[in-house]
Amino acid sequence: MENRTARLTILIDPLKKQIFEEICVLQDLTPSQVVRKLIRQYIIENAGDRELPEWLRGRSSSDEGA
């Protein structure tokens, strides 16, 4: 299972942040949920031959939760 204790800090243009947060609200998602989903997708698409944990490989692109 995923361990959700690590923190990732990013810098983003304020206007992009505002638009991003507005879209998240419209989709009933938190910004953190969206970022975690994007990171999972990026890892899966770019892992190459790297062995991924089952909990990461088994997630579908329709997963919107954490």
Side-chain angles (χ1 to χ4, degrees):
M1 188 52 108
E2 255 179 290
N3 182 353
R4 299 206 178 123
T5 60
R7 180 177 304 268
L8 175 66
T9 302
I10 64 166
L11 299 177
I12 185 172
D13 175 85
L15 182 56
K16 287 178 191 166
K17 180 180 181 283
Q18 177 186 349
I19 295 169
F20 175 66
E21 290 173 336
E22 290 171 2
I23 294 170
C24 289
V25 167
L26 292 173
Q27 296 181 351
D28 196 28
L29 296 169
T30 66
S32 291
Q33 288 173 312
V34 175
V35 170
R36 284 192 298 265
K37 181 177 179 180
L38 290 170
I39 290 172
R40 276 194 306 272
Q41 289 173 339
Y42 184 85
I43 290 171
I44 290 167
E45 292 171 6
N46 295 283
D49 294 335
R50 187 181 307 261
E51 183 69 26
L52 298 177
E54 180 61 36
W55 57 263
L56 181 59
R57 287 180 286 142
R59 309 247 2 199
S60 71
S61 60
S62 65
D63 286 345
E64 294 181 355

